[in-house]
């Protein structure tokens, strides 16, 4: 029993890490798709804006498709997933924010877990 308990904990942690990797990839792909749509003129982009979504919720709420005369919306996510490791809201990095000291701002350039706990690879989840 003393051998099985640590193995079970590692298995649970590994599952959360796989889910974190999947969710981060999904969110980052959606952010990139939003930026691409803004740069290509599919959705509205203000002259003074970066083209990145203003919030994570904007990815699920969608944006008006400028090509459709009926005003259909373009969606990038069905819903914003939760952080599987911390359960807290995601940390947000603005386009103008440096990578080594991420800060939120008028847009969402990247997301990260707020968990300081190290992963099985020794790197804190916050840095993934």
């Amino acid at each position: 029993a003393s051998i099985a308990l640590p193995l079970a904990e590692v298995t649970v942690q590994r599952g959360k890490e796989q889910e974190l990797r999947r969710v981060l990839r999904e969110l980052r792909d959606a952010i990139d798709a939003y930026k691409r749509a803004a740069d290509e003129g599919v959705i509205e982009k203000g002259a003074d804006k970066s083209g990145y979504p203003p919030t994570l919720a904007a990815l699920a709420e969608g944006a008006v498709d400028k090509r459709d005369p009926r005003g259909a919306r373009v969606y990038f996510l069905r819903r914003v997933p939760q952080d599987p490791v911390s359960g807290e809201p995601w940390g947000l990095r603005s386009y103008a924010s440096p990578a080594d000291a991420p800060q939120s701002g008028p847009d969402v350039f990247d997301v990260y877990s707020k968990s300081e706990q190290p992963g099985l690879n020794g790197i804190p989840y916050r840095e993934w």
Side-chain angles (χ1 to χ4, degrees):
S2 64
I3 294 173
L5 187 58
L7 183 59
E9 290 173 358
V10 169
T11 302
V12 168
Q13 186 176 1
R14 185 172 291 124
K16 286 183 179 182
E17 288 184 4
Q18 288 173 338
E19 181 67 9
L20 178 62
R21 279 188 197 93
R22 186 191 66 75
V23 169
L24 283 172
R25 189 173 318 127
E26 179 181 346
L27 285 169
R28 289 170 175 160
D29 285 348
I31 291 169
D32 290 344
Y34 188 102
K35 170 70 168 147
R36 205 169 23 260
D39 288 348
E40 293 171 357
V42 174
I43 61 175
E44 189 66 38
K45 173 184 167 186
D48 60 338
K49 303 291 183 187
S50 66
Y52 288 99
T55 63
L56 279 183
L59 298 172
E61 293 166 359
V64 176
D65 187 342
K66 291 178 15 180
R67 303 168 299 178
D68 190 325
R70 295 171 291 153
R73 298 183 78 76
V74 178
Y75 297 95
F76 303 94
L77 286 175
R78 288 185 181 189
R79 65 176 181 80
V80 177
Q82 291 285 331
D83 180 340
V85 175
S86 72
E88 296 180 33
W90 294 100
L92 305 176
R93 177 180 166 214
S94 175
Y95 180 70
S97 173
D100 58 348
Q103 298 292 319
S104 60
D107 57 17
V108 179
F109 175 71
D110 196 12
V111 295
Y112 59 91
S113 175
K114 290 184 179 178
S115 176
E116 295 291 339
Q117 179 184 354
L120 292 173
N121 61 3
I123 300 171
Y125 295 126
R126 180 181 174 94
E127 297 176 17
W128 285 27

